[in-house]
Amino acid sequence: MTSLITQVEQDPPDPQGVLLDVRNLHVEFRTRDGVAKAVNGVDYTVSAGETLAVLGESGSGKSVTAQAIMGILDSPPGFVTQGEIVFQGQDLLTMGKEDRRRVRGERMAMIFQDALSSLNPVLSVGEQLGEMFTVHRGMSRKDAKVKAIELMERVRIPAAKQRVGDFPHQFSGGMRQRIMIAMAMALEPDLIIADEPTTALDVTVQAQVMELLAELQRELHMGLILITHDLGVVADVADKIAVMYAGRIVETSPVHEIYRKPAHPYTKGLLRSIPRLDQKGQELYAIKGLPPNLLHIPAGCAFNPRCPMAQDICRTDVPPLYEVSETRASACHFWTETIGE
Amino acid sequence: MGRYVIRRLLQMIPVFIGATFLIFVMVYALGDPVAAFFGDRAPDPATAAQIRHQYGLDKPLWHQYLDYMGNIFTGDFGTAFNGQPVTELMKSAFPVTLRLTLVAIFFEIVIGITFGVITGMRRGRPIDTSVLLMTLVVISIPVFVLGYVLQYVIAVQWGIGEPSVSPEAPLNELILPGIVLALVSLAYVTRLTRTSIAENTRADYVRTAVAKGLPRRRVILRHLLRNSLIPVITFIGTDIGGLMGGAIVTERIFNIQGVGYQLYQGILRHNSATVVGFVTILVIVFLLANLLVDLLYAVLDPRIRYA
């Protein structure tokens, strides 16, 4: 049953190779209506050259975790209340502001979802790309422009030399996302966080952009955190998956195993709700109920009100992350039943 | 772009004709200029008739208007009540008011935008609340009250600056009047900048700029401010015209012999040549300022293109 690839993945992670280690991260938003607990004890690691896909619905805390890692959390109202974010051996959360700023862009970078609103509408793409070099590397504007053109060529934007002075709105959606990628790659960081990089694009362009991202990642041997709710995208590029629900990781697994044998009812529900060609004509499965209100997360397992397998214990006890195998874990009291079904 | 400018300039022609005609009618409606010329004394009917004939005031209104417009195109703006050609009054008055306006705009930009950025970045903090309160006070108190109070306290009591400006109106004497003239607009600029900054601080591209590891200063000045100033600059541009016309009150308070002063005299004497001439120039300044703002808009926001 094990191909060569899965065997490699199942090797215990080399502690030297661990690039990012998020430990017991808690983030809350103090709003007028109360405290919204967006992230409640997230642990994950990313190694150099590895792709971690973080999966979950809107409001599951996947983007907030990423923002906390980048240090771009809107604060107030957002606060990291607990945990560590160890990046290349340093805890980012205890770092000074200025040191933290230097990490951004230089050693870790982020790609955002909507490139049109994420790029500055009044500055040319050349200026926005070149800025990375003038600010972080002290280059002259002229040299930075040359670098910007190189970057645009690298992400395969046609006629880069002529278009370097164009503004974001003059590019197509796919090209804009390439520019975002180029900007993140500019200083060849060690970690890239891509927050739903293809959600705003149409399907054919999605594939191209993902391919480009994966290719650059391989080339530069970067760690990649891919935040998405698209299970289709994940299967092609990710090494491992962390499924999030209500600010917690409910299941982690190497990518191929999770599709075959999900160990959490939520993951199972997500997989069942992917439209499939052989089920044409049948009603599409949907997980019943709504994601929980982060101001009032249900007691016990947060998923219990929507879970088809919920028992009394699920309503009272928060399930720990049970070890399913050496590389897998599930936060379900009944993971054995789930996986065995 | 060139075409757009030409079209806009052509559009000014009907506005120019309409504006002059309206003002002409309004001044006509004020009453008999000859009677006003003599002040409280009743003029001798024969002399009055002679003056009326000399200035063409016995002709019907439309004829007077056509005569006036015809003269304008030869550069003759008519004669003011004191016998000076109106063009001469303009030559002395407009530079003074222009200087005053520039001083006012300078304070508007420097103080207004600075306060706007500070309060926009620190919403809800004490500095924000106190500046907002101040703008509210400034906006709600009439200009002439603020003007006289500041004139008395600063210039008379503290002896800083001059309470009365000399006819040459050098820049240093115009600082206090400039502040008074700017005050209300300054309050609006502060509020507008604050709102715009507050709106844009949560914009995605600002988050991107932070994620790029840019220093805070650069994020604010290059990314945030550049976008937030677009509505502010529009306001300041349209305000140029407003300030020049609105200088009447300030000019009265500080005895500045600018456009406001001449206009006041013209209205007092029902002298249509002075009033129409000055207002026409003000209208043109206003239109040109608006055109300039629209062009500037395209420079600031590349998404806007004129064809």
Side-chain angles (χ1 to χ4, degrees):
Chain A
M1 80 160 234
T2 44
S3 69
L4 191 65
I5 295 168
T6 43
Q7 266 179 357
V8 171
E9 279 164 357
Q10 277 168 357
D11 280 347
D14 173 16
Q16 294 297 313
V18 171
L19 187 64
L20 175 79
D21 189 354
V22 179
R23 292 177 198 152
N24 192 30
L25 185 73
H26 285 72
V27 180
E28 60 184 39
F29 286 89
R30 293 168 194 160
T31 67
R32 223 171 265 185
D33 305 321
V35 176
K37 298 198 183 283
V39 178
N40 305 298
V42 161
D43 296 86
Y44 57 59
T45 61
V46 184
S47 305
E50 186 181 47
T51 301
L52 165 72
V54 181
L55 211 70
E57 293 166 298
S58 321
S60 61
K62 53 195 196 309
S63 294
V64 175
T65 310
Q67 285 168 12
I69 295 169
M70 280 302 289
I72 55 168
L73 208 57
D74 259 337
S75 184
F79 295 93
V80 175
T81 51
Q82 241 191 83
E84 284 165 58
I85 300 172
V86 181
F87 179 64
Q88 295 176 325
Q90 275 175 296
D91 185 0
L92 296 178
L93 294 176
T94 57
M95 236 183 216
K97 257 189 178 171
E98 188 57 21
D99 291 332
R100 189 87 192 268
R101 173 180 77 72
R102 278 184 225 283
V103 172
R104 287 195 287 268
E106 187 83 53
R107 286 157 63 193
M108 60 164 71
M110 190 154 174
I111 297 166
F112 295 98
Q113 185 184 133
D114 182 359
L116 181 59
S117 65
S118 299
L119 291 169
N120 192 326
V122 303
L123 298 178
S124 73
V125 298
E127 283 173 90
Q128 293 186 61
L129 288 168
E131 197 174 36
M132 298 300 285
F133 299 100
T134 53
V135 171
H136 287 277
R137 297 279 156 86
M139 270 188 202
S140 71
R141 292 185 66 159
K142 211 175 134 200
D143 293 345
K145 192 179 164 191
V146 175
K147 280 283 192 183
I149 295 170
E150 269 175 39
L151 276 173
M152 286 169 76
E153 278 164 353
R154 193 157 182 197
V155 295
R156 294 196 282 275
I157 290 172
K161 218 174 200 151
Q162 287 83 52
R163 303 212 64 184
V164 70
D166 282 1
F167 293 92
H169 70 275
Q170 291 166 299
F171 289 87
S172 69
M175 288 299 148
R176 273 198 292 267
Q177 198 52 275
R178 281 165 195 266
I179 289 162
M180 277 250 79
I181 292 175
M183 207 150 81
M185 299 289 168
L187 305 178
E188 306 194 347
D190 303 302
L191 176 72
I192 293 245
I193 302 175
D195 191 353
E196 312 210 11
T198 59
T199 309
L201 306 174
D202 56 47
V203 184
T204 46
V205 180
Q206 271 183 14
Q208 291 167 6
V209 168
M210 269 324 296
E211 207 173 289
L212 174 73
L213 193 58
E215 183 191 308
L216 289 167
Q217 184 213 1
R218 269 196 308 277
E219 231 172 81
L220 300 171
H221 200 63
M222 296 177 300
L224 174 65
I225 299 177
L226 181 65
I227 298 166
T228 181
H229 53 241
D230 187 343
L231 281 156
V233 169
V234 171
D236 298 331
V237 295
D239 299 309
K240 59 184 189 185
I241 287 187
V243 181
M244 284 188 71
Y245 189 82
R248 261 173 218 282
I249 290 186
V250 293
E251 180 168 3
T252 59
S253 165
V255 71
H256 295 289
E257 289 171 43
I258 209 167
Y259 285 90
R260 270 202 307 274
K261 279 178 182 289
H264 194 283
Y266 177 62
T267 318
K268 212 171 184 172
L270 284 181
L271 290 169
R272 275 187 69 189
S273 49
I274 302 176
R276 279 173 22 194
L277 269 181
D278 58 344
Q279 288 176 336
K280 204 177 165 196
Q282 295 173 40
E283 197 178 330
L284 189 62
Y285 176 81
I287 302 173
K288 64 173 184 170
L290 292 170
N293 179 347
L294 295 175
L295 294 170
H296 309 284
I297 294 174
C301 172
F303 187 58
N304 84 69
R306 306 169 73 185
C307 182
M309 305 174 64
Q311 310 282 322
D312 285 342
I313 183 176
C314 302
R315 285 180 267 276
T316 53
D317 292 12
V318 178
L321 262 180
Y322 295 102
E323 191 174 293
V324 175
S325 73
E326 228 173 292
T327 54
R328 299 193 61 181
S330 164
C332 177
H333 294 299
F334 301 100
W335 68 269
T336 39
E337 286 87 337
T338 312
I339 207 167
E341 254 177 37
Chain B
M1 187 79 154
R3 260 200 191 165
Y4 174 79
V5 174
I6 290 168
R7 209 170 60 219
R8 284 288 299 267
L9 289 173
L10 288 177
Q11 278 170 4
M12 285 184 190
I13 295 171
V15 177
F16 172 75
I17 294 171
T20 46
F21 185 69
L22 268 177
I23 302 153
F24 206 85
V25 173
M26 279 187 232
V27 178
Y28 184 82
L30 279 178
D32 184 2
V34 179
F37 186 74
F38 283 91
D40 293 334
R41 282 183 300 137
D44 166 43
T47 321
Q50 199 205 332
I51 295 174
R52 274 201 196 91
H53 184 72
Q54 191 187 332
Y55 288 101
L57 296 172
D58 50 354
K59 293 180 189 164
L61 180 65
W62 63 269
H63 204 289
Q64 288 184 39
Y65 177 68
L66 285 185
D67 280 350
Y68 176 76
M69 288 304 276
N71 287 338
I72 278 186
F73 285 107
T74 61
D76 177 11
F77 274 82
T79 315
F81 68 95
N82 61 359
Q84 264 186 300
V86 173
T87 41
E88 235 166 73
L89 290 186
M90 285 176 177
K91 262 182 222 149
S92 70
F94 270 100
V96 172
T97 298
L98 195 67
R99 267 208 297 282
L100 179 62
T101 306
L102 287 179
V103 172
I105 297 263
F106 172 79
F107 284 116
E108 228 177 87
I109 291 174
V110 174
I111 302 177
I113 292 179
T114 309
F115 273 167
V117 171
I118 292 171
T119 54
M121 299 300 297
R122 296 179 206 280
R123 284 182 310 284
R125 309 267 181 85
I127 174 116
D128 177 32
T129 325
S130 31
V131 169
L132 271 188
L133 208 70
M134 267 162 53
T135 60
L136 206 66
V137 168
V138 166
I139 290 170
S140 53
I141 296 178
V143 186
F144 64 88
V145 175
L146 280 173
Y148 280 120
V149 168
L150 288 180
Q151 180 189 39
Y152 182 70
V153 173
I154 294 179
V156 178
Q157 294 231 299
W158 298 352
I160 304 168
E162 299 291 324
S164 177
V165 176
S166 52
E168 299 79 39
L171 273 181
N172 61 325
E173 286 181 14
L174 287 177
I175 292 175
L176 185 58
I179 291 175
V180 169
L181 180 59
L183 268 177
V184 173
S185 302
L186 198 154
Y188 280 117
V189 168
T190 303
R191 294 195 141 206
L192 201 59
T193 309
R194 175 189 182 271
T195 313
S196 189
I197 288 269
E199 228 168 68
N200 281 304
T201 36
R202 290 185 190 278
D204 288 349
Y205 61 81
V206 173
R207 193 184 54 185
T208 309
V210 176
K212 281 162 87 174
L214 306 181
R216 191 176 150 81
R217 222 184 125 75
R218 192 178 172 92
V219 173
I220 293 173
L221 292 181
R222 193 164 171 76
H223 289 268
L224 179 57
L225 199 56
R226 179 74 204 275
N227 279 280
S228 305
L229 282 189
I230 296 170
V232 179
I233 286 181
T234 316
F235 174 80
I236 292 176
T238 43
D239 203 35
I240 293 175
L243 283 180
M244 290 191 75
I248 295 183
V249 177
T250 314
E251 288 185 1
R252 286 282 297 164
I253 296 172
F254 292 95
N255 189 36
I256 300 167
Q257 310 209 345
V259 173
Y261 173 83
Q262 300 295 354
L263 259 178
Y264 178 76
Q265 297 293 340
I267 292 169
L268 214 62
R269 304 288 178 179
H270 300 186
N271 185 298
S272 61
T274 312
V275 178
V276 179
F278 273 84
V279 173
T280 303
I281 300 287
L282 284 180
V283 168
I284 290 174
V285 168
F286 195 82
L287 291 175
L288 285 176
N290 269 317
L291 176 60
L292 205 70
V293 165
D294 283 347
L295 296 180
L296 204 61
Y297 212 82
V299 175
L300 286 173
D301 190 342
R303 286 167 297 183
I304 294 166
R305 282 277 170 270
Y306 298 117

